[in-house]
Amino acid sequence: MAYQDLREFVKKLETEGELKRINAEVDPILEITEVAQRIARAAERKPDSVGPALLFEKPKGSRIPLVINAFGSVRRMELAFEVDALTEIAERIQGFLKMDSPQGLFDKIKMLPKLAELGSFFPKSVKSGPCKEVVQKGSDVNLFDFPILKCWPQDGGRFITFPLVFTKNPETGKRNVGMYRMQVYDERTTGMHWQTQKHGAEHFRRAREKNPSGTIPVSVAIGTDPATALAGMLPIPPDLDEMMFAGFLRREPVEMVSCETNELEVPANAEVVLEGYVSLDEMRTEGPFGDHTGFYSLEGEFPVFHVECVTRRRDPIYLTTVVGPPPQEDYYMGYAVERIFLPVMKMQYPEIVDVAMPAEGIFHNLMIVAIRKSYPGHARKIMNAIWSLGQAMFTKVIVVVDHDVDIHNYRELTWKTLCAIDPERDVQFSLGPMDTLDHATRLQDYGSKMGIDATRKWTSEGFTRPWPEEILMDQATKARVDLLWKSLHIDPR
Ligand SMILES: Cc1cc2nc3c(=O)[nH]c(=O)nc-3n(C[C@H](O)[C@H](O)[C@H](O)COP(=O)(O)O)c2cc1C
Ligand SMILES: [Mn+2]
C-alpha cells in the first residue's frame, strides 16, 4: 500500500532510524538552515547521505512543526518510492516502454498515460480529504502562520521551497504540477518563480496571450505523500500529468479534491493547500535567493501569486528543503531522476551505456555519458541529442567517453578523459537555452555549451596515429603472484 500522506512517510523514516526529532525551539530564519548544514557536514564522510531527516517540533514563531531533509539520502529515496533500489522504478518504466515501439522519446513517455490506464494509476477525484479540515479565507489567511524558511543571510525574504504548483493549460485544460520556489512578500502574496522554459511559465504566457489583463488560477499543495511531493520536480514532457506519473510511481492513484475558490484540483492528502491566482499583468522583483548553484541567484522579475484561501489539516506538518553549496538534499532528488530516466534515454539512444551527473555539477553544469561508439562522430551526435532532450537542454558541459570507462569513479574518469583529448580538436561549442540560475551566461536563459569528445579517436575520424593500449597486468602473472603472496609477508594486497 502506498503512503497515504506525508506523516505516514515521516513515521516510516522514524522507525527506520532515518529521522531525528528536534524538540528545542529553532528559528526558521537562518537557524534551521545552519542546523541542517551542520548535520550534512557531519555526514560528509558517508557519501550516501546529507545526514538524517529532521523534524523540528518547535520552529520559532509558529505552532506548526517542520520536516526537512526527508529525501536527503539514496536510502530515503528508496523508502519514498517503496523500492529496494531505484533501478526497480527504471525497470518498471522499461517494461512498459518495451510494450510498443513508438519512435520518439516524447512518444515513448507519452505512452505512459496509456499504460497507466491499464494499471489505473490515473488520479481519482474524491469529495473531501484531510487537507480540508480547516478552511481559512480572506483576512484569516496568514502565510506567517507557517514556519517558512529564510534560508541564507542575503535571501530577499522567506521562501516556500517545497511547493507543488498546480496550473491548467488554458488551451488544452491539461494540468501541470511544478516545484517552483515562492518568496513570501506579505501575509497573502508570494512570488512565483517558474523559470521561462518551465510548464507553469508556458501556461502563464498562453493565458496572457488570450487576456493580457486577466488572471490564471493557481493552487499550491505543500506536504503530500512522498511520490506525489517529488513528482513536481520530475522533468516529464508538457501535458503529461505529474499526478498521473505520481500514481504510477506509488502504484495507487493520487486522490484529488476540488479547491474551494478556484477550478483546480489538489491532492486530498496534502498537509496545506494555498488557493489563489496569478495576475497576468503583474511582475515583481524576486530574490536574491541562495540557490543550488552554491551562489545567490540574482534578483529578477517574476509573476506574483495572490492567496485567497488556505485549506489545511488541523495539525499540519510543513515540508521544506534547503538548497545551497552541493551536496544538499536536492542532490538526491537529481540522482533519483538520473536513475529513473536512464532507461528512457537508453531506449531512445541505445548507444548510451551510463550517465552520471556529479553533485558538484549542480544538475545542469556537467553530464558524463558513456557510449558504445559505432561510427565516426558518434560522440558529437550524442551531445546534440542531449542538448535536445527535455530539461537536459540546459546541460552546460557534456563529456562523452567510451563504454569501458567507469564514469561513477571520478578519478578514472578524469584520468581517461584528459588522456583522450586533443582539446582544440575534441571540444565542441554550441549555443542554446540555459538554466535561469546560471549567473555566468552572457544573457539570462541563453548561452553557450561545451561538449568534450573523450572517446578513443578513430582513423575514420582523421586520427592516423595508433591509439595505445591501457596498461593491465596479465592474468598469468597475477595468478603466480597470488600464489607467492603469503611468502612475501606483506599485508595489503
Ligand atoms: C528544491 C527544488 C527547487 C526548485 N525550484 C525551482 C524554481 O524556483 N523554479 C523553477 O523553474 N524550477 C525549480 N525547480 C526545478 C523544477 O521543479 C523542475 O524543473 C520541474 O521539472 C519543473 O516542472 P515542469 O517541467 O512541469 O515545469 C526546483 C527543483 C527542486 C528540486
Ligand atoms: Mn510539467
Side-chain angles (χ1 to χ4, degrees):
M1 266 261 284
Y3 296 106
Q4 290 311 294
D5 48 26
L6 176 65
R7 55 196 58 205
E8 206 178 304
F9 180 54
V10 166
K11 219 179 278 164
K12 175 74 175 172
L13 292 178
E14 193 162 23
T15 53
E16 295 286 322
E18 290 280 340
L19 178 133
K20 219 177 147 49
R21 279 174 190 269
I22 295 175
N23 190 251
E25 188 179 82
V26 184
D27 200 333
I29 311 293
L30 302 176
E31 286 180 4
I32 287 184
T33 302
E34 178 59 15
V35 173
Q37 297 305 303
R38 289 189 190 194
I39 298 268
R41 262 174 262 139
E44 241 164 40
R45 276 165 284 118
K46 221 178 100 197
D48 176 37
S49 88
V50 288
L54 300 173
L55 181 66
F56 288 89
E57 294 178 325
K58 286 187 201 142
K60 191 173 178 182
S62 174
R63 292 219 296 263
I64 297 168
L66 171 153
V67 67
I68 191 166
N69 225 2
F71 303 100
S73 76
V74 176
R75 175 78 187 120
R76 294 206 286 283
M77 274 293 168
E78 291 161 356
L79 288 170
F81 292 118
E82 296 175 276
V83 292
D84 292 322
L86 292 171
T87 48
E88 278 176 37
I89 306 171
E91 279 157 21
R92 269 182 79 214
I93 294 180
Q94 207 161 16
F96 283 122
L97 293 180
K98 277 195 182 137
M99 287 171 65
D100 207 336
S101 53
Q103 284 310 299
L105 170 71
F106 269 39
D107 291 341
K108 281 171 178 153
I109 300 182
K110 277 187 174 152
M111 265 177 60
L112 284 175
K114 214 168 67 193
L115 299 162
E117 214 166 14
L118 299 174
S120 68
F121 299 133
F122 266 103
K124 199 167 93 189
S125 296
V126 295
K127 283 231 152 56
S128 190
C131 74
K132 302 283 192 187
E133 285 171 5
V134 175
V135 176
Q136 293 166 298
K137 288 187 183 166
S139 57
D140 282 346
V141 172
N142 185 357
L143 294 174
F144 296 114
D145 288 345
F146 301 98
I148 298 170
L149 298 187
K150 178 179 178 182
C151 301
W152 299 102
Q154 290 172 43
D155 281 3
R158 298 166 74 167
F159 285 79
I160 299 171
T161 57
F162 214 137
L164 291 174
V165 177
F166 288 74
T167 53
K168 245 188 199 175
N169 182 325
E171 279 154 22
T172 63
K174 294 241 170 95
R175 166 165 49 223
N176 190 68
V177 188
M179 192 189 294
Y180 317 120
R181 73 175 187 233
M182 297 156 61
Q183 177 173 357
V184 178
Y185 294 126
D186 61 42
E187 290 82 353
R188 287 180 283 282
T189 321
T190 78
M192 185 49 75
H193 189 259
W194 45 45
Q195 295 158 14
T196 190
Q197 312 91 346
K198 305 297 173 74
H199 302 150
E202 184 61 20
H203 290 182
F204 175 84
R205 280 190 292 270
R206 293 201 189 177
R208 199 173 50 185
E209 272 168 31
K210 283 188 176 166
N211 179 11
S213 59
T215 62
I216 181 174
V218 175
S219 289
V220 174
I222 305 169
T224 63
D225 68 276
T228 303
L230 289 169
M233 58 97 197
L234 297 179
I236 59 176
D239 289 348
L240 173 54
D241 182 4
E242 281 84 358
M243 291 301 97
M244 189 285 298
F245 207 88
F248 167 81
L249 289 171
R250 68 200 288 268
R251 302 179 186 86
E252 208 174 282
V254 182
E255 294 193 342
M256 306 291 291
V257 287
S258 297
C259 285
E260 302 295 306
T261 58
N262 67 27
E263 68 200 59
L264 300 169
E265 281 189 325
V266 287
N269 71 22
E271 299 289 320
V272 179
V273 175
L274 314 177
E275 302 179 2
Y277 63 90
V278 163
S279 299
L280 300 171
D281 58 358
E282 183 184 16
M283 300 289 262
R284 187 162 165 177
T285 303
E286 199 266 4
F289 177 68
D291 229 311
H292 65 218
T293 56
F295 294 86
Y296 287 97
S297 46
L298 307 172
E299 290 183 347
E301 296 299 301
F302 279 86
V304 180
F305 176 51
H306 297 274
V307 187
E308 294 185 301
C309 175
V310 170
T311 78
R312 61 171 175 83
R313 293 174 183 246
R314 262 184 294 278
D315 56 346
I317 303 173
Y318 178 74
L319 175 68
T320 193
T321 187
V322 168
V323 298
Q328 303 278 344
E329 184 177 0
D330 62 341
Y331 167 68
Y332 296 93
M333 301 184 198
Y335 177 75
V337 167
E338 177 196 299
R339 292 294 108 188
I340 291 170
F341 290 105
L342 181 60
V344 184
M345 279 177 91
K346 281 186 175 176
M347 202 82 178
Q348 178 70 1
Y349 302 108
E351 62 268 50
I352 293 181
V353 174
D354 203 357
V355 167
M357 296 190 293
E360 293 73 16
I362 326 288
F363 306 110
H364 300 314
N365 285 351
L366 180 60
M367 188 186 289
I368 297 143
V369 190
I371 63 165
R372 201 169 282 279
K373 180 166 162 176
S374 309
Y375 44 78
H378 205 156
R380 294 180 191 243
K381 178 257 192 170
I382 279 298
M383 295 171 197
N384 290 309
I386 288 164
W387 285 325
S388 72
L389 197 66
Q391 290 184 39
M393 68 174 154
F394 299 126
T395 310
K396 182 142 76 173
V397 177
I398 299 174
V399 181
V400 185
V401 297
D402 285 308
H403 64 275
D404 54 357
V405 179
D406 176 2
I407 59 175
H408 300 286
N409 177 344
Y410 300 142
R411 194 177 280 181
E412 174 177 342
L413 173 78
T414 310
W415 157 49
K416 289 192 174 167
T417 295
L418 295 172
C419 284
I421 57 169
D422 173 323
E424 189 191 33
R425 181 194 60 206
D426 295 330
V427 171
Q428 163 164 346
F429 294 104
S430 186
L431 279 169
M434 294 295 286
D435 186 2
T436 306
L437 307 184
D438 191 317
H439 54 260
T441 51
R442 63 205 65 197
L443 291 170
Q444 183 174 306
D445 300 316
Y446 177 67
S448 69
K449 294 134 191 301
M450 178 170 79
I452 300 175
D453 174 359
T455 58
R456 287 182 192 81
K457 301 307 168 317
W458 293 3
T459 318
S460 50
E461 292 174 316
F463 187 80
T464 51
R465 304 173 60 203
W467 195 274
E469 293 251 338
E470 182 181 339
I471 302 170
L472 291 170
M473 185 48 72
D474 65 276
Q475 285 307 323
T477 308
K478 282 190 176 185
R480 276 201 314 279
V481 172
D482 278 347
L483 290 175
L484 265 179
W485 194 256
K486 270 209 172 123
S487 69
L488 300 182
H489 302 292
I490 313 169
D491 247 351
R493 47 189 311 164

